[in-house]
Amino acid sequence: MQRREFLVLASLLITGCATKPASQPEVAGMRFSDADRKTITRFYSQADGRPRSGPVPAQRAKVGDLLDSGQRPNKLPVDLDKLLPLLPEPYTRLTLGADVILVNRNSHAILDVIPQLAH
């Protein structure tokens, strides 16, 4: 009887391991709220009191990607950051090129993107 229980348990463990997705970046859960999107969009549309001039850089960030070690995201402007609610650990908002991104600092996963907005 013990051998049978062991085999059932072992097969369940093996099946569980086999069905787990291969280390996918975290993409579920945290997103920019509608209010955050409006605040960020309004801030950048009013920045310097003039619309962006010149070509817009290509979108660099994609939801589900991981930040590469060579990528250098920047913090949001202090004036914008003050307008937004605090995020729980380990999440942060950054800019990458012209994209505003929501990132998990522990996994470096990009969880949400507002594309081609920052300047």
Side-chain angles (χ1 to χ4, degrees), residues 56-119:
V56 176
Q59 180 178 350
R60 296 171 61 183
K62 305 257 188 292
V63 173
D65 284 354
L66 296 177
L67 286 175
D68 294 329
S69 59
Q71 293 176 312
R72 298 287 182 231
N74 296 303
K75 293 181 179 181
L76 290 182
V78 174
D79 293 340
L80 173 56
D81 199 41
K82 289 179 184 177
L83 299 173
L84 298 167
L86 293 176
L87 292 172
E89 288 293 327
Y91 304 104
T92 189
R93 300 175 192 98
L94 302 168
T95 60
L96 183 62
D99 303 329
V100 180
I101 59 176
L102 180 63
V103 176
N104 179 321
R105 285 192 302 266
N106 292 342
S107 67
H108 304 282
I110 298 173
L111 306 175
D112 203 1
V113 178
I114 304 175
Q116 303 178 330
L117 187 64
H119 55 312

Side-chain angles (χ1 to χ4, degrees), residues 17-24:
C17 293
T19 59
K20 184 178 180 183
S23 64
Q24 292 286 335

